[in-house]
Amino acid sequence: MNAEPRLVEVRKNILKQNDLLARELRQRYRRAGVYTVSLVSSPGSGKTRFLEETLRLIRAQHPVAALVGDLATENDCQRLARSGAPVKQIVTGTVCHLDASMVDRALAGWTLDDLAFLFIENVGNLVCPASYDLGEDLRLVLLSVTEGEDKPLKYPTIFNTADAAVITKMDLADAVEFDRQAAISNLQSVRPGIRILEVSAKNGHGMAAWIEFLNAARQARPREV
Ligand SMILES: Nc1nc2c(ncn2[C@@H]2O[C@H](COP(=O)(O)OP(=O)(O)OP(=O)(O)O)[C@@H](O)[C@H]2O)c(=O)[nH]1
Ligand SMILES: [Mg+2]
């Protein structure tokens, strides 16, 4: 009978510790002038492909770096490193999300003051990453046209904790009979007013608007936490 409340308490303490460290990270990012963007989505929605294209486009304007989390492999790190930007893989083993301490450890050895943007690709998962603040300025949730317009309704927490949504793989929209209006209305119903970007990292559709949005968001960020 007593077991349940204790488990809840332990989980609350872990989350509280994470929030404290995330707040410190947020302060570090602000002091260094680096704008931090995290990406969350289900596995295979196109986070790495979108980030590869983003790094390629933004590196011409600004110094950037990226962290990427996966349970196993360095595959995504290798893909992102082709951009020439500094990239580190966080291998989580059995853990289904990144937390602030993993990010903190991965940042060791990097001088944040040298960066304008830091991107953090989370583990592909629409549930666990929702609860863990990484100190990011902008949390992006990606939804690909191939995974079904109802995902925001089924996984409301992750969509509700995001600052902006990116609909990916728009080049495949017709082939999979993607219902754009349904997807937009589902996103708006769980997170009213959320900014929605529509992109294809494959043919470049919407990528210029995304980069413009990113630069404007960095400019608009308050200096103090
Ligand atoms: N046609 C098309 N395919 C895409 C696009 N973006 C990603 N893909 C493909 O979708 C698959 C998954 O893309 P990834 O970028 O690896 O997805 P991810 O979200 O990083 O996956 P995890 O890290 O495993 O969660 C790959 O085969 C990509 O080439 C796109 O805009 N158009
Ligand atoms: Mg990936």
Side-chain angles (χ1 to χ4, degrees):
M1 242 185 89
N2 290 333
E4 201 178 320
R6 217 168 95 208
L7 281 176
V8 170
E9 208 176 288
V10 170
R11 189 173 147 74
K12 266 194 193 149
N13 284 337
I14 291 169
L15 286 178
K16 201 169 149 204
Q17 269 180 20
N18 186 79
D19 287 347
L20 292 173
L21 185 52
R23 196 163 65 189
E24 274 178 43
L25 283 173
R26 186 167 283 115
Q27 282 164 348
R28 271 172 62 193
Y29 301 148
R30 297 273 163 111
R31 274 200 299 273
V34 58
Y35 190 79
T36 304
V37 180
S38 77
L39 292 88
V40 292
S41 82
S42 52
S45 297
K47 296 179 294 301
T48 307
R49 185 86 186 257
F50 175 70
L51 209 43
E52 285 180 277
E53 198 51 21
T54 300
L55 293 179
R56 192 183 68 76
L57 292 169
I58 209 156
R59 250 173 66 78
Q61 306 165 359
H62 300 287
V64 296
L67 303 176
V68 52
D70 280 295
L71 269 69
T73 83
E74 301 252 336
N75 292 355
D76 284 3
C77 181
Q78 285 163 10
R79 286 167 62 189
L80 294 171
R82 282 190 230 130
S83 67
V87 184
K88 268 190 212 167
Q89 179 83 44
I90 303 173
V91 176
T92 63
T94 54
V95 182
C96 54
H97 58 84
L98 292 180
D99 66 29
S101 70
M102 295 176 195
V103 171
D104 185 40
R105 280 195 299 277
L107 289 176
W110 278 1
T111 310
L112 290 180
D113 300 72
D114 295 345
L115 299 174
F117 289 97
L118 170 68
F119 296 94
I120 307 174
E121 177 182 335
N122 215 316
V123 177
N125 187 310
L126 278 181
V127 183
C128 314
S131 317
Y132 289 84
D133 186 1
L134 304 178
E136 67 268 63
D137 295 291
L138 184 79
R139 185 180 286 192
L140 274 189
V141 64
L142 280 66
L143 169 71
S144 65
V145 298
T146 55
E147 68 198 78
E149 302 82 3
D150 61 350
K151 292 301 164 293
L153 302 179
K154 289 184 174 177
Y155 302 89
T157 314
I158 195 121
F159 287 92
N160 193 254
T161 60
D163 301 297
V166 180
I167 302 178
T168 60
K169 311 192 189 180
M170 283 301 289
D171 57 291
L172 299 176
D174 289 343
V176 296
E177 298 178 1
F178 176 63
D179 186 340
R180 180 174 175 271
Q181 278 318 320
I184 290 173
S185 129
N186 291 342
L187 283 165
Q188 292 293 350
S189 75
V190 295
R191 183 75 157 104
I194 193 169
R195 173 70 189 261
I196 302 170
L197 296 129
E198 296 167 55
V199 306
S200 163
K202 184 174 177 176
N203 67 17
H205 170 85
M207 290 304 293
W210 150 242
I211 299 293
E212 206 176 297
F213 169 80
L214 196 55
N215 278 317
R218 177 168 178 258
Q219 293 299 327
R221 177 179 66 172
R223 291 190 181 277
E224 299 303 320
V225 178

